[in-house]
Amino acid sequence: YSQVRMFRTGNPPSVPSLTAPTNNALQSTNTPLLNWNDVTVPAGTTFRGYNVQVTPDGTFVSVLLDANVGGLVTDSQYTTLPLPYGAKYYWRVRSCNTGPDGIGYNADDQCSAWPTARYFRIAYAAPVLTLPLDGATGVSRKPTFTWDAITGATSYNLQVSTSATFTGLLAIN
């Protein structure tokens, strides 16, 4: 007989299921809340937490955000740091147990596979209106409308109405 050897196979938690934002969702904030389903942890293992990644491309070669979240199975959401407006971002999450050495966040941790990544888009910030001033009187019947430019915007839509709820539009450009 040959010599005896011992080895252990990994016993990671289940793969998280991404829930929000949905694929191709347009986010109005540049700090979106990422949410996923809680995972199942195998008996006899210690759950370490989740690893969240966000990138501007689907390859995850250039990761903008690589965060470790929580330590409880129920810590299944994360609010991102501010991301640039007007861009598309891919995101994914995996779950990890502490490895056999009992020390988390090192090479022997047992992590699930990454689920299929999703992507979301960050809307441009709303422009700041400069003229005419809010509540101004005596404004020309052909006013000049001005606003601060938004970096990266290639066009703007202007709506004019006699109602604050814009139920009766006077102009759409």
Side-chain angles (χ1 to χ4, degrees):
Y1 296 102
S2 67
Q3 68 186 112
V4 175
R5 298 229 173 147
M6 185 198 78
F7 64 92
R8 295 180 190 196
T9 60
N11 198 11
S14 61
V15 177
S17 175
L18 309 181
T19 58
T22 59
N23 223 20
N24 198 27
L26 182 62
Q27 301 295 295
S28 59
T29 175
N30 71 332
T31 56
L33 175 67
L34 307 178
N35 204 342
W36 55 92
N37 289 334
D38 299 342
V39 295
T40 303
V41 179
T45 63
T46 304
F47 185 70
R48 185 199 82 198
Y50 298 98
N51 182 223
V52 179
Q53 291 186 334
V54 176
T55 182
D57 64 65
T59 64
F60 289 87
V61 171
S62 175
V63 176
L64 287 177
L65 172 72
D66 191 1
N68 291 308
V69 178
L72 299 175
V73 173
T74 55
D75 291 336
S76 54
Q77 62 183 15
Y78 181 77
T79 301
T80 71
L81 300 172
L83 298 168
Y85 288 101
K88 179 178 177 178
Y89 299 96
Y90 293 83
W91 70 288
R92 64 185 183 178
V93 179
R94 69 179 176 177
S95 56
C96 297
N97 285 335
T98 299
D101 69 1
I103 302 169
Y105 302 103
N106 65 19
D108 80 330
D109 286 357
Q110 300 169 357
C111 296
S112 71
W114 294 102
T116 300
R118 287 190 177 179
Y119 68 91
F120 57 87
R121 299 169 292 127
I122 303 284
Y124 285 104
V128 175
L129 305 177
T130 54
L131 288 175
L133 296 175
D134 189 28
T137 58
V139 176
S140 164
R141 291 179 55 88
K142 291 185 179 180
T144 299
F145 296 97
T146 61
W147 54 85
D148 291 342
I150 300 297
T151 302
T154 57
S155 65
Y156 298 89
N157 291 327
L158 173 66
Q159 296 182 342
V160 179
S161 177
T162 57
S163 165
T165 59
F166 286 83
T167 54
L169 294 177
L170 299 176
I172 300 176
N173 292 325

